[in-house]
Amino acid sequence: MVPESTTLSSPTFECETGNYHTFCPISCVAWLYQKIEDSFFLVIGTKTCGYFLQNALGVMIFAEPRYAMAELEEGDVNAKLNAYDELRRLCLQVKKDRNPSVFVWIGTCTTEIIKMDLEGIAPKLEDEIGVPIVVARANGLDYAFTQGEDTVLAAMASRCPKPQPQKSEEEKKSALRSLFQLGGKKPAEAPVETVDHKPLVLFGSLTDPVVNQLTLELKRQGITVSGWLPAPRYAELPVIEEGVTYVAGVNPFLSRTASALQRRMRCNLITAPFPIGPDGTRAWIEAICRDLGVVPKGLEEREQQIWDALKEDMDFLKGKSVFFMGDNLLEVSMARFLIRCGMIVHEVGIPYMDKRYQQGELDLLDKTCQQMGHTPVRIVEKPDNYNQIQRIYEVKPDLVITGMAHANPLEARGINTKWSVEFTFAMIHGFTNAHDVLKMVRKPLDRNTSLKSLGWEKLIQEV
Amino acid sequence: MKLAYWMYAGPAHIGTLRIASSFKDVHAIMHAPLGDDYFNVMRSMLEREREFTPVTASIVDRKVLGRGSQDKVVTNIVRKDQEEAPSLIVLTPTCTSAILQEDLQNFVARAQEQAKADVILADANHYRFNELTAAEKTFHQIVSHYIDKLKEMPPRSERPSANILGMSTLGFHNSHDCKELKRLLADLGVEVNLVAPEGCSVNDLKDLPRAWFNVVPYRELGRQTAEYLQEKCDQPFVDITPMGVMQTAKFIRAIQKILNGKSVAADFEPFIKEQTLHVSQATWFARSIDCQNLQGKRAVVYGDNTHAAAMTRILTKEIGAHVVWAGTYCKYDGDWFRNEVQGLCDEVIISDDHTYIGDRIAQAEPSAIFGTQMERHIGKRLDIPCGVISSPIHIQNFPVGYRPFLGYEGTNQIADLVYNSFTLGMEDHLLEVFGGHDTKEVLTKTLTASSELNWDEAASKELGKIPGFVRGKVKRNTEKYARDTGASTITLEVMYAAKEAVGA
């Protein structure tokens, strides 16, 4: 199914029916409420939304999460009840019980259809109850899975504070320094010379260890990260200075956040591939250095060092083929990394492709294909899962990266699968975690090799 | 609006999909936005299903919102008809379609003109039904769709036979229960005519009237269908859940009565005696000396109607425990429950608010809880053991091994479950009295004993964030790396470098 022509290495783009399986974007509350420690996420939707969250997030439900459903009843839908009064009642209750620093209201399909004016209600209620309310419409009518985070961060971007003008240059610097050295500890290693550059804010929600790793990685180049969107606490949202601050995304699904920062907050957006895989990480750092006017040093060696450590996994994966059914928008970056590792990519399914925001990534994919002699990658937007499964039967890939709905049935047919959602929850960014990505990709192949002697590969009745 | 963190019964469409995907040759098409096909994940993961779940979505997106679905639903139905050739396609409305108010019945009529399969619209409004009531309704709808079509009823089978109604996908231990029921009926000389909906083809539904009677083991599913069949085909039904020794005997006697009424001379009393004394160990087990400890032990029971009622009876009448309160989340059928457990517990609670249930458990301070996965977690927090007896459930409640709750083998399983829950409680209690397990830290497993390495504050904090079960390994590997590279203090940089180098 991969097009034959090899003269052209730019990817081909297709668009199918959009009949594919993915998580509802409200799932973003699962990781965002943990990331933003003083937040409370209120999902305004129906039992359907609640049932999804309850089942998809499994054990997290029992840990007294800082999120809840505002479950709409018939009276809400036919407007017998007043949305303002209802939301006020629930938010006051949550405020009393949990005292959050910020409410994030997640609008759903139902609030869209009944046209509940959340953006209009929020500022009024915010004044009344004295807690900021951020509104994000993360619904299944418009978005897929990880794009939920994008809508939340885009809404949060406009809440980033402006710099305090009266501060002197020296104060500003020390403020930045203390922000960076949380807890005011002295770095243990010989400090790298910091370069004077325009402020840099990174956007995208990553677990704290990965935040630390990427921050350190930039520190090695003398670059100071002045803040992250989101920050661990709402009160610590990064300062953004219009026309001055540079911003860079860490994940491929953050296009709305990027444009919100660019247009509304007048930030300078650094277009770069995403720091997934050593190749992506290096290119990401290089792009940041380029835009901030810093000369990168030691990056080539650093990248090589990681590739050396990955040698065993790469030898194993070389020549094996992979098929992305597409559900979380990480697909292009993952495919680019795996092609660089010597794998063959049959198809990159993806829910939505923002060619402008992902330009840096697409260029790197193009370059990687040329270098590795890989045929042009077939990128299928809004894929059709049924058609994809027919193509999978046809090309018999060594590995299918897919959602849970298809994983077990494909395994039963002797096709190795990796559950795609794991890549969104695992630490996959930066040099440090490159090995973990390959370990995840290898795992199903290793498992099925170790079961080989069992002699049963197809576990269904052949028709 | 209602503030909610957890629900016991899912939305209506889940019930419809459970029925549709239980049948062998039915495909469901949901009229739903992207992401609402989460049912497929549940079925594929919880049931470890090898087949693709026969559920697809006709996606409602911004365009549909603007102009209506138009041909989209019809096209999707016709397409599925060609691709999968099912016998029946069930168009399934969701909360979204409930407020869009498109004429789905019209789409069904149009699709029916082009599709080979039968096409019906599930009549389950999101705001009026929940998972359980919708499943009940859809099952009845499908069965009557095929029975109403019959010009004449097929003749009764020659030998006594029964249909088992209400076995479905994602039902609590349903596949094991089904096997056990088949075995029990076979022992009674009753043939199983048809099991529905699980594993049944809709084309076989026409044979339902062949059975002499119907068995409805669960209160929540199949009863409406059984009542319909009683009226339509003059089939009596047995709606006693054969869970526990007493109820199983009652169930068998009800069958005996039906058979005797149809002039079959059946006397099952010797069978009941033999099974109760020798096959089921539950009666002897309850009598045995070490179960004396269970006498008067305080328990609370909560779940769906079927399991909570049966469990309450077993605990009180067959084990001698003291049920402080018994509850159900099936509010729509609360009177039945109240009636069933009257006199078997101190108080009856009918509520689907898990925080209220949690509070009531905390107040009751029972020695054991028998409930759903939610109560198991409440128990964890309160340090009270919990046996899971009802949905909602997690993957560990879909065991591979044989674990029926019904029939004589079911009584053995329940005895183990009850006994293990209480002994664990007792053991815990004794441990507390005698100062707990030997909790002295095992130092030899890590290098910390002889370690001169310093972890700076940031690194220690980071280490603390690593999940407990790998933390030791990460710590060892990092310290080893630090020694090898001559670092005296472990900083975040050293930690990450160790991870890069040795995968710590």
Side-chain angles (χ1 to χ4, degrees):
Chain A
M1 294 304 285
V2 178
E4 286 305 307
S5 126
T6 46
T7 49
L8 183 84
S9 65
S10 1
T12 65
F13 292 95
E14 284 170 47
C15 187
E16 281 190 304
T17 62
N19 273 323
Y20 64 101
H21 165 74
T22 182
F23 274 13
C24 174
I26 61 173
S27 51
C28 68
V29 305
W31 62 89
L32 288 177
Y33 92 81
Q34 295 190 47
K35 178 72 200 179
I36 310 169
E37 291 162 12
D38 52 354
S39 62
F40 192 96
F41 283 75
L42 191 66
V43 182
I44 304 157
T46 62
K47 259 190 184 330
T48 307
C49 313
Y51 197 67
F52 163 69
L53 282 179
Q54 169 174 331
N55 285 293
L57 311 181
V59 289
M60 279 190 247
I61 298 283
F62 304 111
E64 298 225 11
R66 289 186 319 280
Y67 67 80
M69 292 293 308
E71 193 185 306
L72 300 167
E73 292 166 301
E74 209 158 7
D76 298 300
V77 172
N78 58 25
K80 275 207 184 106
L81 296 167
N82 179 299
Y84 183 89
D85 294 341
E86 291 295 297
L87 284 166
R88 179 174 167 275
R89 183 171 57 82
L90 299 194
C91 286
L92 282 173
Q93 192 182 330
V94 173
K95 191 189 167 194
K96 195 177 116 231
D97 295 346
R98 308 289 183 94
N99 196 25
S101 312
V102 60
F103 277 108
V104 182
W105 287 356
I106 303 287
T108 62
C109 304
T110 309
T111 56
E112 287 297 312
I113 298 170
I114 64 174
K115 300 194 166 44
M116 191 181 280
D117 183 19
L118 297 177
E119 275 98 342
I121 296 173
K124 274 186 238 154
L125 194 57
E126 187 172 301
D127 285 345
E128 195 183 329
I129 65 173
V131 180
I133 299 170
V134 174
V135 180
R137 303 177 177 196
N139 62 68
L141 294 167
D142 300 305
Y143 306 109
F145 195 14
T146 48
Q147 288 181 288
E149 174 181 324
D150 193 23
T151 62
V152 174
L153 297 189
M156 224 165 242
S158 52
R159 303 293 182 116
C160 288
K162 291 196 169 71
Q164 300 296 325
Q166 68 276 27
K167 272 188 184 170
S168 74
E169 222 26 56
E170 189 43 46
E171 272 172 333
K172 217 189 279 178
K173 266 188 197 156
S174 72
L176 283 180
R177 223 175 284 145
S178 69
L179 186 70
F180 176 55
Q181 300 162 12
L182 286 172
K185 290 171 301 292
K186 202 169 76 72
E189 279 204 349
V192 191
E193 225 176 286
T194 42
V195 187
D196 199 26
H197 60 78
K198 290 274 170 58
L200 171 69
V201 167
L202 301 178
F203 58 95
S205 166
L206 296 175
T207 52
D208 296 350
V210 185
V211 167
N212 288 340
Q213 286 159 8
L214 290 179
T215 308
L216 282 174
E217 217 60 75
L218 289 169
K219 196 176 121 196
R220 289 179 191 205
Q221 302 300 332
I223 294 172
T224 310
V225 179
S226 30
W228 282 78
L229 174 68
R233 303 185 69 79
Y234 180 72
E236 290 163 10
L237 277 179
V239 174
I240 283 178
E241 196 175 343
E242 278 193 16
V244 179
T245 301
Y246 277 75
V247 292
V250 296
N251 265 322
F253 44 77
L254 298 171
S255 55
R256 287 174 66 89
T257 310
S259 63
L261 287 167
Q262 217 178 351
R263 301 214 182 113
R264 233 180 304 149
M265 308 298 286
R266 309 259 166 245
C267 293
N268 306 297
L269 177 68
I270 301 173
T271 305
F274 301 99
I276 293 169
D279 47 345
T281 308
R282 177 184 168 187
W284 181 73
I285 296 171
E286 276 175 350
I288 292 172
C289 287
R290 178 196 65 213
D291 285 18
L292 294 179
V294 175
V295 182
K297 48 187 180 291
L299 266 183
E300 201 178 332
E301 297 77 41
R302 179 106 177 91
E303 188 196 355
Q304 194 51 49
Q305 187 193 336
I306 300 293
W307 286 123
D308 292 344
L310 298 180
K311 187 163 183 314
E312 197 203 319
D313 293 319
M314 285 164 63
D315 287 346
F316 176 83
L317 292 172
K318 195 171 185 317
K320 296 203 163 55
S321 63
V322 58
F323 189 111
F324 290 86
M325 285 187 77
D327 66 352
N328 60 16
L329 285 93
L330 294 172
E331 291 88 0
V332 173
S333 311
M334 287 285 301
R336 178 260 305 150
F337 175 31
L338 295 182
I339 289 173
R340 185 66 184 71
C341 291
M343 291 188 83
I344 298 155
V345 173
H346 285 300
E347 175 168 328
V348 178
I350 187 168
Y352 168 75
M353 182 77 220
D354 185 332
K355 286 185 195 159
R356 194 139 40 129
Y357 175 63
Q358 292 224 37
Q359 195 52 55
E361 189 59 83
L362 288 170
D363 290 344
L364 185 59
L365 174 70
D366 195 2
K367 204 174 109 195
T368 306
C369 285
Q370 274 175 25
Q371 281 172 356
M372 302 301 292
H374 192 285
T375 50
V377 173
R378 182 187 147 98
I379 295 179
V380 180
E381 236 187 308
K382 287 167 152 269
D384 184 295
N385 280 167
Y386 181 86
N387 296 344
Q388 283 184 314
I389 286 167
Q390 309 310 310
R391 295 200 285 271
I392 287 170
Y393 290 156
E394 211 171 303
V395 298
K396 297 190 176 60
D398 293 306
L399 182 69
V400 176
I401 296 182
T402 180
M404 288 249 235
H406 298 109
N408 269 340
L410 286 172
E411 287 283 348
R413 284 156 181 78
I415 296 163
N416 300 318
T417 61
K418 180 74 214 165
W419 181 41
S420 54
V421 175
E422 244 170 272
F423 294 109
T424 52
F425 290 126
M427 300 197 261
I428 59 170
H429 293 77
F431 288 126
T432 313
N433 299 304
H435 189 229
D436 289 8
V437 180
L438 294 193
K439 267 205 296 205
M440 280 195 280
V441 173
R442 265 193 80 155
K443 201 179 219 171
L445 300 168
D446 283 336
R447 195 267 306 261
N448 291 342
T449 308
S450 60
L451 296 183
K452 203 123 217 163
S453 61
L454 197 57
W456 294 95
E457 282 190 10
K458 285 200 179 170
L459 293 148
I460 48 158
Q461 297 268 325
E462 293 286 352
V463 189
Chain B
M1 276 180 216
K2 203 172 84 182
L3 197 62
Y5 300 84
W6 170 267
M7 69 186 84
Y8 286 102
H13 71 268
I14 298 290
T16 297
L17 297 180
R18 276 179 57 187
I19 298 302
S21 59
S22 293
F23 282 107
K24 241 183 354 206
D25 48 357
V26 176
H27 197 99
I29 295 185
M30 298 169 70
H31 185 244
L34 194 64
D36 273 2
D37 60 349
Y38 191 72
F39 176 78
N40 298 32
V41 175
M42 290 181 62
R43 185 154 182 272
S44 176
M45 293 311 291
L46 298 180
E47 294 262 33
R48 292 183 199 85
E49 182 55 58
R50 300 178 208 205
E51 293 305 321
F52 291 102
T53 300
V55 174
T56 36
S58 177
I59 303 282
V60 175
D61 55 15
R62 207 31 86 171
K63 252 187 235 154
V64 170
L65 209 56
R67 316 173 303 156
S69 293
Q70 297 188 347
D71 293 331
K72 201 170 182 180
V73 176
V74 177
T75 312
N76 279 321
I77 294 175
V78 174
R79 183 184 155 189
K80 256 324 127 187
D81 182 54
Q82 286 161 358
E83 283 167 359
E84 311 271 348
S87 306
L88 171 68
I89 293 176
V90 179
L91 181 58
T92 309
T94 58
C95 56
T96 306
S97 30
I99 36 177
L100 281 179
Q101 298 197 322
E102 289 192 89
D103 190 357
L104 295 180
Q105 195 64 60
N106 175 41
F107 296 154
V108 164
R110 276 168 56 202
Q112 185 63 84
E113 284 169 19
Q114 299 169 59
K116 279 210 195 73
D118 296 323
V119 188
I120 62 171
L121 171 66
D123 176 19
N125 182 302
H126 175 87
Y127 291 96
R128 257 162 274 156
F129 295 95
N130 70 17
E131 172 183 353
L132 302 173
T133 49
E136 178 76 315
K137 177 126 180 149
T138 306
F139 185 35
H140 171 240
Q141 200 186 348
I142 292 176
V143 168
S144 59
H145 181 81
Y146 285 92
I147 298 290
D148 286 346
K149 274 207 277 200
L150 290 180
K151 293 206 177 61
E152 58 183 302
M153 293 293 160
R156 294 265 191 257
S157 63
E158 249 169 65
R159 297 179 24 78
S161 64
N163 299 315
I164 301 175
L165 303 180
M167 294 295 165
S168 80
T169 191
L170 292 171
F172 183 71
H173 291 238
N174 272 200
S175 61
H176 309 289
D177 282 350
C178 187
K179 208 183 269 180
E180 186 65 19
L181 272 183
K182 281 182 177 171
R183 206 158 77 176
L184 181 59
L185 289 171
D187 285 347
L188 300 176
V190 175
E191 282 170 5
V192 174
N193 181 53
L194 218 60
V195 177
E198 184 62 45
C200 176
S201 156
V202 287
N203 295 317
D204 295 338
L205 292 177
K206 63 177 188 320
D207 293 329
L208 276 174
R210 286 174 52 83
W212 291 23
F213 63 99
N214 289 312
V215 172
V216 189
Y218 307 121
R219 174 70 192 172
E220 291 77 16
L221 181 59
R223 200 190 153 76
Q224 204 178 331
T225 307
E227 279 168 357
Y228 161 83
L229 289 171
Q230 183 173 42
E231 198 172 307
K232 188 91 182 170
C233 321
D234 193 26
Q235 270 174 331
F237 62 90
V238 180
D239 62 348
I240 297 158
T241 303
M243 186 169 154
V245 177
M246 289 164 69
Q247 289 300 97
T248 304
K250 206 170 156 198
F251 171 83
I252 294 170
R253 289 188 186 116
I255 291 175
Q256 178 178 311
K257 199 170 158 210
I258 288 174
L259 295 182
N260 289 346
K262 300 199 185 273
S263 56
V264 175
D267 176 14
F268 295 139
E269 287 308 324
F271 174 78
I272 293 173
K273 191 175 168 196
E274 163 72 16
Q275 295 283 318
T276 308
L277 285 183
H278 302 297
V279 175
S280 166
Q281 298 294 324
T283 321
W284 164 236
F285 184 76
R287 191 69 194 240
S288 70
I289 200 74
D290 86 317
C291 280
Q292 272 183 14
N293 285 334
L294 300 184
Q295 173 59 37
K297 276 259 176 304
R298 292 158 58 84
V300 299
V301 181
Y302 183 78
D304 63 10
N305 267 352
T306 305
H307 293 90
M311 204 62 203
T312 305
R313 177 172 284 108
I314 293 169
L315 284 167
T316 310
K317 296 273 186 192
E318 299 181 16
I319 287 172
H322 175 187
V323 178
V324 185
W325 60 258
T328 179
Y329 56 82
C330 299
K331 277 159 70 177
Y332 63 93
D333 198 15
D335 290 343
W336 179 87
F337 184 77
R338 204 180 292 281
N339 204 32
E340 280 293 295
V341 299
Q342 207 69 67
L344 300 173
C345 55
D346 300 348
E347 193 190 349
V348 182
I349 292 179
I350 292 166
S351 163
D352 58 0
D353 176 353
H354 79 273
T355 49
Y356 176 68
I357 296 301
D359 290 346
R360 295 302 308 263
I361 292 174
Q363 280 166 19
E365 290 185 82
S367 311
I369 308 165
F370 296 93
T372 72
Q373 275 293 337
M374 191 66 201
E375 285 66 52
R376 192 171 74 84
H377 284 268
I378 293 170
K380 259 192 197 165
R381 208 166 53 207
L382 300 173
D383 251 338
I384 303 171
C386 177
V388 175
I389 56 149
S390 161
S391 297
I393 39 183
H394 283 330
I395 195 150
Q396 66 265 42
N397 302 112
F398 289 88
V400 183
Y402 190 49
R403 299 261 193 286
F405 269 65
L406 302 187
Y408 286 108
E409 178 54 27
T411 63
N412 294 336
Q413 298 293 337
I414 292 169
D416 281 342
L417 181 77
V418 171
Y419 185 70
N420 290 342
S421 304
F422 279 117
T423 11
L424 286 176
M426 181 60 90
E427 202 180 334
D428 262 4
H429 181 65
L430 289 176
L431 283 171
E432 208 167 279
V433 171
F434 294 111
H437 283 287
D438 184 4
T439 51
K440 230 178 259 169
E441 238 180 295
V442 185
L443 296 173
T444 43
K445 260 166 89 182
T446 63
L447 292 169
T448 40
S450 61
S451 172
E452 294 143 26
L453 285 166
N454 276 326
W455 286 69
D456 78 0
E457 211 181 313
S460 318
K461 208 173 144 203
E462 181 92 352
L463 185 68
K465 281 185 199 148
I466 292 165
F469 57 96
V470 287
R471 196 180 300 145
K473 184 179 156 220
V474 171
K475 189 169 185 215
R476 273 198 305 283
N477 285 348
T478 308
E479 291 187 350
K480 182 170 180 295
Y481 175 83
R483 274 172 219 281
D484 293 351
T485 54
S488 59
T489 305
I490 294 174
T491 59
L492 283 178
E493 272 104 333
V494 176
M495 262 186 102
Y496 301 145
K499 183 172 158 61
E500 284 161 23
V502 292

